[in-house]
Structure formats: C-alpha cells, structure tokens
Amino acid sequence: MTGSDLADVGIGATPDEQVLRLARLAVGAGCAGVIASPREAGSLRAELGPRPLIVSPG
C-alpha cells in the first residue's frame, strides 16, 4: 500500500511506520514472527531484535 492508500482508509502513518506498528503489535500479542517483504526485513530486525521470525514469501 502507498501512503495515499493508507490515508484513504484513515491511517496517517507512512507505509514504513505502519509496518513497524503492526509488527510490534503482533509480537506484543505473542506471535512468534511476522511476514514481510525483503525490503522491510532489515528495519524490522533492527526494531524487533533477534528473536521473532521474519518470513519473506517468494
């Protein structure tokens, strides 16, 4: 999704901010990991630390 797509549904965050927010929520809720694009994996790893799995399809 683009920033304008997010804005259309009432979300004021950038796509990168939204990805991090959702990943933090998932890990905080007890999920063992997240599914993310390879483009997002590095920033997620830096933010979430070494424990959660980050799976990139494809």
Side-chain angles (χ1 to χ4, degrees):
M1 296 183 85
T2 66
S4 63
D5 294 329
L6 291 174
D8 287 345
V9 296
I11 298 171
T14 67
D16 289 337
E17 292 167 340
Q18 184 68 350
V19 165
L20 286 173
R21 186 182 81 77
L22 293 174
R24 285 187 203 114
L25 285 172
V27 172
C31 292
V34 297
I35 298 171
S37 77
R39 182 185 147 296
E40 300 160 335
S43 62
L44 286 173
R45 178 61 64 217
E47 184 67 29
L48 301 175
R51 186 153 194 141
L53 294 173
I54 300 173
V55 177
S56 294

